Amino acid sequence: MRKKMGGCAGLFLFFVVFAVVRDTATAASFTSFSGRETCESPQLLKPSSVEEIQNIIKNARAKGQKVKALGTRHASSDINCGDDVSLDLANFASVEIDSGEMQATVGVGATHEILLNSLLEQGYSVVHPSVKYPGLSVGGTLATGAHSSSLLHPASISDQVVALTLVDGRGKVRKITGEKLKAANVNIGALGIVIDVTIKIVENYKVSLDFIDRDDSILFNGEAVEWAKRQDYFEMSWFPSASRVVVFNGTYVNINTPGDGRVKFVLTTTPDFIGVLEQANGDRNQAFFCGSEAANRDGLAFGKNGIPQSFNGNGEFSSKITGTMKDVLTTFCPDGGCAWDNPGPKFISSTIEFAFDLNTLPQALLAVRNIIDRRPWCAIAAEGIQIRFMQKSDNYLSPSSGKDVGVFEIVIPLRQEENSSHFGMSTMQEIYQTMLLEFKGRPHWGKNGRSSFADPCPTMPELYPDWDKFMAVKEELDPEGVFENEFFRRLTRQQELPKFKFCAINDKCICSENSHCAYDQICEPQVIGGKRVGICIDNFS
């Protein structure tokens, strides 16, 4: 039995992207909410049919142009940026449910909100959520291997796919199954224009979720990893200045289990708060940032300080809730709207994320702890340093390709003026350079800055043993490189990462001279993992 549904696009993702299209007829410009990347596309098209996409690709190929697919523009890296023609795939947002096969075929322009609501209407759900905020597009999360957190279930939509349809570099429609899915399921936009994906579905269920406050020693002694292996859903928020971690301990339960709880992990901001944040950032006010970290932990674990994030069916804070998967493992915005809805200045941020095998994770986190102890920093993000888990994947470019992994993510606020330095900048730079060069962490395709994907950082074959297999599929599907962009050319070392004034501020380079940092900083030479690098440190003299 097959049922087809449509939907409207969702909102945008806090800490990730706010897209603005200036002229959809001839050109487009969209800027990440983080402020780190602005993509300029000479031509933005919004096709309504597969035939249109085929013709666009054929015309571009004839002219020697490149084509880049866009979803809801949620990647904060420059993976979204194309050379010539960009395609807005919002019109491909249908959801077709096959209850007999327990599968759903989803257009890549659909958001996860559309997908989950369509499934819920028929009493179904996904095996495990792929995102916490469901405003991301299915196509974008597939391309980047976006994920939630579980070692017992596939935490990414990329690991729930049984087939997909794409248009290749010659304009031919291809149904991808079998071995080629291992390349296409995390495709970084380089194999073709994906039209739809067919995923496994299950009957709807609920999740019982506890928020548990623990000493952060569990991160370093292996206890957290062993705990994660036993839970359907397991995530942690680490608050280093307090040496505490809040554990999100989730168990799948029957849909008939009592409970109507839900979570709210997306917060609002106001122009006044942005002004205070800007002042604290400029003053290097560590007391402000550490106070914010403490307040965020109290709200998450204990519902204090006016920022509770988990609620029972009566709308009251509770550290133990039960509700549907959608209500408990994905989030919603408060009545005042999300941070990106506010008029005036926006919250601007920088994000890094890295994946490590489970044996390496405690060592990597201990290295982060040691760096934070030596340099000024506090975790102001609402969930501190987020730590998630993914089970082993067969997909060539998945964060968990070939092994179970633990993943950590750090978000810090930037200044409103993009060339100004910010609190914790040297700390953030030493952390991401250490994770890449010493621990060989896999950077998130859609979150990390440009410098994470260029020399002297590890090459793709060093990080992904099946990189050559991915490239073989690419050669078959896109032999002329129609879908390549600057991001891809850096990955393959076909193009160097240029250095310019202020480039290190937002991770668009690793500094090698003072001019790469802000005016009030100098570039301090370092040797990390045997590589000569540099870190921007404050110099107020």
Side-chain angles (χ1 to χ4, degrees), residues 133-134 250 267 275 283 352 428 433 474 492:
Y133 186 78
L267 306 180
D283 293 344
I352 58 173
M428 193 82 152
Q433 292 176 30
K474 183 193 178 301
T492 53

Side-chain angles (χ1 to χ4, degrees), residues 37-57:
E37 292 293 346
T38 297
C39 300
E40 303 284 349
S41 180
Q43 190 173 17
L44 175 64
L45 302 175
K46 192 173 182 180
S48 299
S49 68
V50 175
E51 291 74 18
E52 284 186 66
I53 294 176
Q54 290 179 276
N55 289 332
I56 290 168
I57 292 173

Side-chain angles (χ1 to χ4, degrees), residues 79 142-143 166 179-192 394-398 401 445 460 464-478 483-484 487-488 491-492:
I79 192 173
L142 180 88
L166 62 74
E179 287 294 305
K180 288 188 180 65
L181 276 178
K182 296 178 181 179
N185 282 343
V186 184
N187 56 68
I188 59 175
L191 303 185
D394 291 332
N395 296 324
Y396 300 148
L397 301 189
S398 167
S401 179
W445 300 113
M460 294 305 102
Y464 298 93
D466 290 324
W467 174 261
D468 289 343
K469 294 180 181 179
F470 175 83
M471 291 298 291
V473 176
K474 183 193 178 301
E475 179 63 25
E476 176 185 341
L477 297 178
D478 185 31
F483 306 112
E484 295 178 7
F487 178 85
F488 183 83
L491 295 183
T492 53

Side-chain angles (χ1 to χ4, degrees), residues 85-101:
V85 181
S86 296
L87 301 185
D88 183 339
L89 300 177
N91 289 328
F92 295 81
S94 63
V95 178
E96 186 176 351
I97 298 172
D98 187 335
S99 56
E101 294 293 329

Side-chain angles (χ1 to χ4, degrees), residues 9-24:
L11 299 171
F12 301 97
L13 179 64
F14 187 41
F15 291 159
V16 188
V17 166
F18 177 77
V20 179
V21 178
R22 287 203 297 255
D23 184 354
T24 58

Side-chain angles (χ1 to χ4, degrees), residues 218-223 225 356-368 439:
I218 68 171
L219 302 178
F220 318 124
N221 62 17
E223 182 180 344
V225 170
F356 309 88
D357 69 69
L358 297 183
N359 290 327
T360 303
L361 180 66
Q363 304 167 44
L365 293 176
L366 185 58
V368 172
F439 289 94

Side-chain angles (χ1 to χ4, degrees), residues 3 34 54 61 116 178 200 209 234 252 283 285 351 354 367 385 437 450 477 484 523:
K3 297 184 180 181
S34 68
Q54 290 179 276
R61 181 188 177 206
L116 293 176
K200 302 172 185 176
L209 185 63
F234 188 87
Y252 289 0
D283 293 344
N285 188 341
T351 304
F354 296 97
I385 297 177
L437 298 172
R450 298 187 183 197
L477 297 178
E484 295 178 7
C523 181

Side-chain angles (χ1 to χ4, degrees), residues 146-429:
H147 60 91
S148 177
S149 186
S150 179
L151 288 173
L152 297 184
H153 308 283
S156 172
I157 194 171
S158 298
D159 290 307
Q160 301 171 33
V161 174
V162 296
L164 63 80
T165 307
L166 62 74
V167 183
D168 69 16
R170 295 186 177 89
K172 180 181 178 182
V173 177
R174 306 279 291 264
K175 191 75 171 179
I176 306 297
T177 59
E179 287 294 305
K180 288 188 180 65
L181 276 178
K182 296 178 181 179
N185 282 343
V186 184
N187 56 68
I188 59 175
L191 303 185
I193 303 300
V194 180
I195 305 301
D196 61 48
V197 299
T198 300
I199 63 170
K200 302 172 185 176
I201 61 174
V202 297
E203 292 185 357
N204 196 18
Y205 56 94
K206 287 187 175 181
V207 178
S208 178
L209 185 63
D210 296 341
F211 294 81
I212 305 169
D213 183 63
R214 294 289 301 272
D215 186 88
D216 69 359
S217 61
I218 68 171
L219 302 178
F220 318 124
N221 62 17
E223 182 180 344
V225 170
E226 292 305 313
W227 195 349
K229 292 177 181 178
R230 301 190 298 268
Q231 298 305 127
D232 293 304
Y233 175 82
F234 188 87
E235 181 176 342
M236 296 180 289
S237 287
W238 181 21
F239 299 94
S241 67
S243 297
R244 306 298 293 181
V245 60
V246 178
V247 176
F248 303 22
N249 190 60
T251 302
Y252 289 0
V253 296
N254 187 276
I255 191 63
N256 295 319
T257 304
D260 297 302
R262 65 187 313 187
V263 298
K264 173 181 66 69
F265 292 121
V266 181
L267 306 180
T268 57
T269 60
T270 65
D272 287 344
F273 172 78
I274 295 298
V276 171
L277 182 61
E278 182 74 5
Q279 183 69 41
N281 228 335
D283 293 344
R284 304 298 196 268
N285 188 341
Q286 184 162 352
F288 169 84
F289 288 101
C290 291
S292 297
E293 178 185 321
N296 289 333
R297 168 180 166 257
D298 285 346
L300 188 62
F302 309 114
K304 297 179 180 179
N305 298 312
I307 51 173
Q309 297 187 33
S310 54
F311 304 86
N312 60 27
N314 296 323
E316 302 166 333
F317 168 79
S318 177
S319 61
K320 180 179 179 61
I321 60 174
T322 298
T324 65
M325 183 281 291
K326 181 177 184 291
D327 286 341
V328 171
L329 298 188
T330 70
T331 191
F332 69 99
C333 294
D335 293 339
C338 296
W340 51 87
D341 295 325
N342 295 323
K346 305 294 182 182
F347 184 95
I348 304 174
S349 63
S350 177
T351 304
I352 58 173
E353 179 176 309
F354 296 97
F356 309 88
D357 69 69
L358 297 183
N359 290 327
T360 303
L361 180 66
Q363 304 167 44
L365 293 176
L366 185 58
V368 172
R369 166 88 272 176
N370 291 335
I371 293 170
I372 290 173
D373 287 344
R374 287 190 288 103
R375 295 189 181 273
W377 193 79
C378 279
I380 191 175
E383 295 179 64
I385 297 177
Q386 293 177 272
I387 302 170
R388 305 185 186 97
F389 296 86
M390 297 179 69
Q391 64 178 197
K392 176 181 176 180
S393 173
D394 291 332
N395 296 324
Y396 300 148
L397 301 189
S398 167
S400 60
S401 179
K403 56 189 178 183
D404 291 343
V405 298
V407 180
F408 80 79
E409 174 184 359
I410 301 177
V411 179
I412 62 170
L414 302 179
R415 303 286 295 280
Q416 295 295 305
E417 168 53 52
E418 65 176 342
N419 294 330
S420 297
S421 59
H422 52 271
F423 175 76
M425 184 170 161
S426 60
T427 310
M428 193 82 152
Q429 290 184 355

